[in-house]
Amino acid sequence: MVAVLTSPPPPPSPPPSQLARLSHHPGRSLRWDAQGRRWWWAGSDAHAVHACAERQGAPLLCRLPDAAGLLAHCRSGRMLLGLAKRLGLAQPDRQAGARQLRLQPLVAVDAAEPRTAVSDGCTDRRGFLVFGTRNVAEDGRAIGSFYQYSRQHGLRRLALPVVAEASAICFSADGRRMFFADARASAIMACEYDADAGAVRAVEVFAQLAPGAGARGAALDADGCLWSAQPGQLLRYAADGKVVQRIAHDCTSIAFGGAGLAQLAAVGAGGLFTVPVPGVAGQADSPFDDHPSQ
Protein backbone atom coordinates (compact mmCIF):
# COMPACT_ATOMS: atom_id res chain seq x y z
CA MET A 1 0.00 0.00 0.00
CA VAL A 2 1.44 3.37 -1.04
CA ALA A 3 0.28 6.49 0.79
CA VAL A 4 0.77 10.08 -0.27
CA LEU A 5 0.45 13.30 1.69
CA THR A 6 -2.90 14.14 0.12
CA SER A 7 -4.81 12.15 2.77
CA PRO A 8 -7.39 13.96 4.98
CA PRO A 9 -5.80 16.62 7.23
CA PRO A 10 -4.37 15.09 10.41
CA PRO A 11 -5.19 16.54 13.83
CA PRO A 12 -3.49 19.88 14.57
CA SER A 13 -0.05 19.80 16.16
CA PRO A 14 0.37 20.93 19.78
CA PRO A 15 1.59 24.46 20.46
CA PRO A 16 5.40 24.65 20.64
CA SER A 17 5.13 25.62 24.31
CA GLN A 18 3.97 22.08 25.13
CA LEU A 19 7.31 20.62 24.03
CA ALA A 20 9.67 20.43 27.01
CA ARG A 21 13.45 20.54 26.54
CA LEU A 22 15.35 18.03 28.69
CA SER A 23 18.84 18.70 27.32
CA HIS A 24 20.61 21.09 24.95
CA HIS A 25 22.98 18.39 23.67
CA PRO A 26 22.21 17.61 20.01
CA GLY A 27 22.29 14.05 18.79
CA ARG A 28 20.80 10.99 17.11
CA SER A 29 19.91 7.35 17.86
CA LEU A 30 17.70 8.04 20.88
CA ARG A 31 16.93 5.06 23.15
CA TRP A 32 15.09 4.58 26.45
CA ASP A 33 16.86 2.66 29.23
CA ALA A 34 14.08 1.04 31.25
CA GLN A 35 16.45 -0.20 33.98
CA GLY A 36 18.18 3.13 34.56
CA ARG A 37 15.11 5.26 33.78
CA ARG A 38 17.17 7.38 31.41
CA TRP A 39 17.16 8.59 27.83
CA TRP A 40 20.38 7.81 25.99
CA TRP A 41 21.52 9.21 22.65
CA ALA A 42 24.64 9.57 20.53
CA GLY A 43 26.07 13.07 20.28
CA SER A 44 26.16 14.74 16.88
CA ASP A 45 28.56 17.54 17.82
CA ALA A 46 31.01 15.47 19.88
CA HIS A 47 32.41 11.95 20.12
CA ALA A 48 30.20 11.04 23.05
CA VAL A 49 26.97 9.50 24.25
CA HIS A 50 24.63 11.44 26.51
CA ALA A 51 22.09 10.38 29.11
CA CYS A 52 19.30 12.28 30.82
CA ALA A 53 17.06 11.04 33.63
CA GLU A 54 13.32 10.86 33.12
CA ARG A 55 12.88 13.33 35.96
CA GLN A 56 15.20 16.12 37.07
CA GLY A 57 18.70 14.80 37.59
CA ALA A 58 22.33 15.33 36.70
CA PRO A 59 23.07 14.70 33.00
CA LEU A 60 25.66 12.13 32.01
CA LEU A 61 28.26 12.38 29.25
CA CYS A 62 30.52 9.50 28.22
CA ARG A 63 33.27 10.23 25.72
CA LEU A 64 34.06 7.92 22.80
CA PRO A 65 37.12 7.44 20.57
CA ASP A 66 34.97 8.07 17.49
CA ALA A 67 31.53 9.38 16.54
CA ALA A 68 28.67 6.95 17.21
CA GLY A 69 25.99 6.32 14.63
CA LEU A 70 23.80 4.12 16.82
CA LEU A 71 23.41 2.63 20.28
CA ALA A 72 21.34 -0.18 21.78
CA HIS A 73 20.94 -1.55 25.29
CA CYS A 74 21.98 -5.14 25.98
CA ARG A 75 20.50 -7.92 28.09
CA SER A 76 23.59 -7.86 30.33
CA GLY A 77 23.19 -4.15 31.10
CA ARG A 78 25.99 -3.17 28.74
CA MET A 79 25.56 -0.92 25.70
CA LEU A 80 26.15 -1.82 22.06
CA LEU A 81 27.64 1.06 20.08
CA GLY A 82 28.06 1.49 16.35
CA LEU A 83 31.04 3.74 15.63
CA ALA A 84 32.04 4.79 12.13
CA LYS A 85 33.52 1.45 11.03
CA ARG A 86 32.95 -0.99 13.89
CA LEU A 87 30.58 -2.31 16.51
CA GLY A 88 31.61 -2.58 20.15
CA LEU A 89 30.32 -3.18 23.66
CA ALA A 90 30.72 -0.74 26.55
CA GLN A 91 29.72 -0.51 30.20
CA PRO A 92 28.52 3.07 30.84
CA ASP A 93 28.98 4.48 34.31
CA ARG A 94 25.57 5.61 35.52
CA GLN A 95 27.08 8.36 37.68
CA ALA A 96 27.17 11.98 36.56
CA GLY A 97 30.25 13.45 34.94
CA ALA A 98 32.32 13.13 31.79
CA ARG A 99 34.44 10.01 31.37
CA GLN A 100 35.91 7.90 28.59
CA LEU A 101 34.12 4.71 27.60
CA ARG A 102 36.22 1.64 26.97
CA LEU A 103 34.94 -0.43 24.06
CA GLN A 104 35.21 -4.17 23.61
CA PRO A 105 35.48 -4.60 19.82
CA LEU A 106 32.98 -6.93 18.19
CA VAL A 107 33.22 -6.63 14.41
CA ALA A 108 34.49 -4.31 11.68
CA VAL A 109 31.88 -2.91 9.30
CA ASP A 110 32.57 -2.35 5.60
CA ALA A 111 36.30 -2.03 6.34
CA ALA A 112 37.34 -2.03 2.68
CA GLU A 113 35.09 0.94 1.78
CA PRO A 114 36.42 4.25 3.22
CA ARG A 115 33.41 6.20 1.95
CA THR A 116 30.88 4.63 4.32
CA ALA A 117 30.12 4.88 8.04
CA VAL A 118 27.62 3.21 10.37
CA SER A 119 24.29 4.98 10.30
CA ASP A 120 20.89 4.27 11.88
CA GLY A 121 20.00 0.95 13.53
CA CYS A 122 17.99 -0.83 16.21
CA THR A 123 17.39 -4.30 17.62
CA ASP A 124 14.83 -6.63 16.09
CA ARG A 125 12.37 -8.65 18.22
CA ARG A 126 14.85 -11.54 18.36
CA GLY A 127 17.47 -9.34 20.03
CA PHE A 128 19.70 -9.02 16.96
CA LEU A 129 21.01 -5.65 15.77
CA VAL A 130 19.86 -4.43 12.35
CA PHE A 131 21.61 -1.34 11.02
CA GLY A 132 22.79 0.41 7.89
CA THR A 133 25.57 2.59 6.57
CA ARG A 134 25.73 5.96 4.86
CA ASN A 135 27.94 7.56 2.25
CA VAL A 136 30.17 10.17 3.92
CA ALA A 137 31.91 11.22 0.70
CA GLU A 138 31.00 14.36 -1.21
CA ASP A 139 29.49 12.47 -4.14
CA GLY A 140 26.54 11.31 -2.00
CA ARG A 141 25.93 8.24 -4.16
CA ALA A 142 23.88 5.30 -2.92
CA ILE A 143 26.57 2.91 -1.67
CA GLY A 144 25.23 2.25 1.84
CA SER A 145 23.98 -1.20 2.85
CA PHE A 146 21.86 -2.86 5.54
CA TYR A 147 23.25 -5.49 7.93
CA GLN A 148 22.21 -7.78 10.75
CA TYR A 149 24.60 -8.55 13.60
CA SER A 150 24.20 -11.20 16.31
CA ARG A 151 26.51 -13.24 18.53
CA GLN A 152 24.92 -16.36 17.04
CA HIS A 153 25.36 -15.58 13.34
CA GLY A 154 27.91 -12.75 13.18
CA LEU A 155 27.59 -9.99 10.60
CA ARG A 156 25.23 -10.68 7.68
CA ARG A 157 24.34 -8.33 4.87
CA LEU A 158 20.61 -8.01 4.18
CA ALA A 159 19.44 -8.23 0.58
CA LEU A 160 17.97 -4.72 0.51
CA PRO A 161 18.53 -1.91 -2.02
CA VAL A 162 21.63 0.24 -1.56
CA VAL A 163 21.05 3.69 -0.05
CA ALA A 164 22.84 6.99 0.41
CA GLU A 165 22.00 7.04 4.14
CA ALA A 166 20.27 4.17 5.92
CA SER A 167 17.61 5.42 8.34
CA ALA A 168 14.21 4.88 10.00
CA ILE A 169 14.79 1.21 10.87
CA CYS A 170 12.13 -0.35 13.12
CA PHE A 171 10.10 -3.54 13.46
CA SER A 172 6.49 -4.62 13.91
CA ALA A 173 5.45 -6.11 17.25
CA ASP A 174 5.71 -9.68 15.91
CA GLY A 175 9.10 -8.96 14.34
CA ARG A 176 8.07 -10.16 10.90
CA ARG A 177 7.89 -6.77 9.22
CA MET A 178 10.79 -4.36 8.91
CA PHE A 179 10.55 -0.67 8.06
CA PHE A 180 13.51 1.30 6.71
CA ALA A 181 14.39 4.27 4.52
CA ASP A 182 17.06 6.21 2.72
CA ALA A 183 17.19 9.56 4.54
CA ARG A 184 18.12 11.24 1.24
CA ALA A 185 15.14 9.78 -0.65
CA SER A 186 11.39 10.44 -0.37
CA ALA A 187 9.89 7.14 0.73
CA ILE A 188 9.53 4.83 3.72
CA MET A 189 9.97 1.20 2.73
CA ALA A 190 8.78 -2.07 4.28
CA CYS A 191 9.58 -5.74 3.81
CA GLU A 192 9.03 -9.17 5.31
CA TYR A 193 11.84 -10.10 7.71
CA ASP A 194 13.14 -13.41 9.08
CA ALA A 195 15.58 -12.77 11.93
CA ASP A 196 17.05 -16.26 12.27
CA ALA A 197 17.58 -16.70 8.54
CA GLY A 198 18.82 -13.13 8.07
CA ALA A 199 16.44 -12.92 5.12
CA VAL A 200 14.17 -10.24 3.68
CA ARG A 201 11.61 -10.39 0.91
CA ALA A 202 8.63 -8.56 -0.62
CA VAL A 203 10.20 -5.07 -0.43
CA GLU A 204 7.59 -2.37 -1.06
CA VAL A 205 6.91 1.32 -0.54
CA PHE A 206 5.06 1.84 2.74
CA ALA A 207 4.61 5.61 2.37
CA GLN A 208 5.59 8.08 -0.31
CA LEU A 209 6.84 11.34 1.19
CA ALA A 210 6.55 14.90 -0.05
CA PRO A 211 9.23 15.89 -2.59
CA GLY A 212 12.45 16.81 -0.80
CA ALA A 213 11.43 15.15 2.47
CA GLY A 214 13.41 12.28 3.95
CA ALA A 215 12.65 9.87 6.76
CA ARG A 216 15.18 10.11 9.60
CA GLY A 217 14.34 8.25 12.82
CA ALA A 218 11.26 6.07 13.32
CA ALA A 219 9.39 4.27 16.10
CA LEU A 220 6.26 2.13 16.31
CA ASP A 221 3.55 2.68 18.90
CA ALA A 222 1.36 0.09 20.62
CA ASP A 223 -1.38 0.59 18.03
CA GLY A 224 0.97 -0.43 15.23
CA CYS A 225 1.31 3.11 13.89
CA LEU A 226 4.69 4.29 12.65
CA TRP A 227 6.08 7.63 13.86
CA SER A 228 8.53 9.24 11.45
CA ALA A 229 10.94 12.11 12.08
CA GLN A 230 11.13 14.22 8.92
CA PRO A 231 12.51 17.72 8.27
CA GLY A 232 10.45 20.12 10.40
CA GLN A 233 7.81 17.63 11.47
CA LEU A 234 6.84 14.36 13.11
CA LEU A 235 4.30 12.27 11.21
CA ARG A 236 2.24 9.34 12.48
CA TYR A 237 1.28 6.76 9.87
CA ALA A 238 -1.48 4.19 10.24
CA ALA A 239 -0.79 0.58 9.29
CA ASP A 240 -1.99 1.29 5.73
CA GLY A 241 0.57 4.08 5.29
CA LYS A 242 -1.83 7.01 5.63
CA VAL A 243 -0.88 10.07 7.69
CA VAL A 244 -3.11 10.36 10.76
CA GLN A 245 -1.19 12.93 12.86
CA ARG A 246 1.32 15.69 12.25
CA ILE A 247 3.41 17.59 14.83
CA ALA A 248 5.62 20.55 13.97
CA HIS A 249 9.08 19.77 15.35
CA ASP A 250 12.47 19.23 13.73
CA CYS A 251 14.49 16.26 14.99
CA THR A 252 16.55 13.30 13.81
CA SER A 253 15.53 10.49 16.17
CA ILE A 254 12.52 9.56 18.30
CA ALA A 255 11.72 6.96 20.95
CA PHE A 256 9.02 6.05 23.46
CA GLY A 257 9.89 5.73 27.14
CA GLY A 258 8.87 6.66 30.65
CA ALA A 259 6.13 5.00 32.71
CA GLY A 260 4.14 2.67 30.50
CA LEU A 261 6.19 3.88 27.50
CA ALA A 262 3.67 6.72 27.29
CA GLN A 263 6.25 9.47 26.71
CA LEU A 264 7.51 10.32 23.23
CA ALA A 265 10.90 12.01 23.12
CA ALA A 266 12.80 13.49 20.19
CA VAL A 267 16.42 14.52 19.74
CA GLY A 268 18.01 16.61 17.03
CA ALA A 269 20.03 19.77 16.48
CA GLY A 270 18.08 21.58 19.20
CA GLY A 271 18.67 18.94 21.88
CA LEU A 272 16.35 16.49 23.60
CA PHE A 273 12.62 17.26 23.96
CA THR A 274 9.54 15.47 25.22
CA VAL A 275 6.61 15.63 22.82
CA PRO A 276 3.02 15.39 24.15
CA VAL A 277 1.03 12.60 22.47
CA PRO A 278 -1.93 11.94 24.81
CA GLY A 279 -3.36 8.44 24.68
CA VAL A 280 -0.39 6.99 22.78
CA ALA A 281 2.13 4.47 24.12
CA GLY A 282 5.11 2.87 22.44
CA GLN A 283 6.48 -0.61 21.95
CA ALA A 284 9.42 -1.65 24.10
CA ASP A 285 12.81 -2.23 22.49
CA SER A 286 14.13 -5.79 22.61
CA PRO A 287 17.56 -5.66 24.29
CA PHE A 288 20.50 -6.87 22.23
CA ASP A 289 21.37 -10.49 23.01
CA ASP A 290 25.04 -10.05 23.97
CA HIS A 291 25.54 -13.49 25.47
CA PRO A 292 28.30 -15.42 23.66
CA SER A 293 27.07 -17.95 21.13
CA GLN A 294 27.29 -21.58 22.19
Side-chain angles (χ1 to χ4, degrees):
M1 175 68 71
V2 178
V4 296
L5 297 180
T6 57
S7 53
S13 61
S17 60
Q18 292 186 18
L19 276 69
R21 190 197 301 266
L22 298 181
S23 170
H24 287 81
H25 291 294
R28 54 184 173 268
S29 191
L30 179 65
R31 292 287 177 260
W32 169 250
D33 174 14
Q35 292 184 345
R37 312 295 299 176
R38 290 179 183 267
W39 300 101
W40 285 86
W41 67 100
S44 59
D45 64 345
H47 294 174
V49 290
H50 304 277
C52 182
E54 178 185 12
R55 302 187 185 279
Q56 187 68 27
L60 179 66
L61 183 150
C62 298
R63 301 196 181 280
L64 298 171
D66 196 0
L70 64 87
L71 62 87
H73 297 289
C74 302
R75 290 183 181 177
S76 67
R78 294 183 294 182
M79 182 179 292
L80 174 62
L81 292 166
L83 303 187
K85 304 296 289 185
R86 57 186 165 136
L87 302 180
L89 290 171
Q91 183 68 63
D93 191 328
R94 298 183 184 276
Q95 302 302 313
R99 54 199 71 220
Q100 186 82 20
L101 275 183
R102 294 182 179 179
L103 263 67
Q104 172 191 336
L106 290 176
V107 65
V109 178
D110 214 2
E113 176 51 81
R115 296 172 297 171
T116 61
V118 170
S119 184
D120 183 68
C122 73
T123 50
D124 62 21
R125 302 304 176 193
R126 180 71 171 76
F128 300 163
L129 179 72
V130 176
F131 68 98
T133 57
R134 61 189 175 96
N135 185 352
V136 296
E138 293 182 359
D139 59 25
R141 293 192 301 117
I143 58 173
S145 301
F146 292 87
Y147 298 90
Q148 179 204 77
Y149 176 75
S150 66
R151 302 302 292 269
Q152 293 88 336
H153 305 292
L155 186 67
R156 301 191 287 193
R157 184 172 178 174
L158 299 177
L160 293 172
V162 293
V163 293
E165 182 178 351
S167 65
I169 300 171
C170 58
F171 293 87
S172 60
D174 63 7
R176 298 177 182 175
R177 190 165 173 80
M178 173 181 169
F179 299 90
F180 63 97
D182 183 342
R184 304 177 199 176
S186 298
I188 300 173
M189 309 298 291
C191 66
E192 296 177 15
Y193 174 76
D194 184 329
D196 287 299
V200 294
R201 62 181 300 274
V203 177
E204 63 179 358
V205 175
F206 170 72
Q208 193 69 50
L209 311 186
R216 298 166 175 172
L220 283 169
D221 64 29
D223 295 323
C225 294
L226 185 146
W227 289 79
S228 172
Q230 299 175 23
Q233 60 184 348
L234 293 172
L235 296 177
R236 186 190 191 198
Y237 293 88
D240 61 0
K242 294 181 180 178
V243 178
V244 294
Q245 190 170 353
R246 189 190 311 266
I247 297 174
H249 182 62
D250 190 68
C251 62
T252 56
S253 182
I254 52 177
F256 284 94
L261 297 176
Q263 179 64 70
L264 178 64
V267 70
L272 177 67
F273 289 82
T274 57
V275 182
V277 286
V280 177
Q283 298 183 22
D285 285 342
S286 298
F288 176 73
D289 184 0
D290 58 334
H291 295 104
S293 59
Q294 301 297 321

